[in-house]
Amino acid sequence: MEKPPKRYIRLTKLIRFQVQKAMATNLLDIDKNYWIEKGLNKKNYHYKFFTDPFSYLFSISFGKFISNKISKNAKKVKEQKLDKVNQ
């Protein structure tokens, strides 16, 4: 059986994937578990792709940056117990 051909992916799709990955792996445990189970947390996109080197490096750097920011803010929210609405 032949492997599917690699597709060219633009920067916007790479960044969108990185944002989804950062949110999924830092906010909700159910999403984090799914991404880990499927191995998506270690991938740079849903499937094999090719792109220009600038887009690749920029999206990886952006993904690390946004993941770091989301993680820090999520920790602050949990520490201040702002994730639960007081009734």
Side-chain angles (χ1 to χ4, degrees):
M1 197 151 82
E2 291 185 31
K3 293 181 181 178
K6 291 182 181 179
R7 295 185 192 175
Y8 181 82
I9 302 296
R10 294 182 183 211
L11 179 60
T12 54
K13 286 189 176 185
L14 292 171
I15 288 176
R16 194 175 307 140
F17 179 83
Q18 292 297 328
V19 170
Q20 290 173 342
K21 182 167 78 170
M23 290 173 58
T25 57
N26 289 303
L27 295 179
L28 298 175
D29 289 336
I30 192 167
D31 287 341
K32 182 178 184 176
N33 294 338
Y34 176 83
W35 279 63
I36 291 171
E37 177 184 316
K38 299 295 180 182
L40 293 169
N41 62 320
K42 295 181 182 176
K43 291 186 176 184
N44 297 318
Y45 199 67
H46 301 283
Y47 50 80
K48 293 191 182 247
F49 68 96
F50 68 95
T51 191
D52 61 279
F54 171 77
S55 294
Y56 177 77
L57 292 174
F58 184 82
S59 69
I60 299 300
S61 298
F62 180 78
K64 289 179 181 179
F65 170 78
I66 198 77
S67 182
N68 188 5
K69 292 296 181 184
I70 290 173
S71 177
K72 283 182 182 178
N73 285 331
K75 285 179 185 176
K76 285 180 185 178
V77 167
K78 286 181 181 178
E79 287 172 0
Q80 296 174 2
K81 298 183 182 181
L82 296 174
D83 57 337
K84 297 179 182 172
V85 177
N86 294 329
Q87 295 181 351

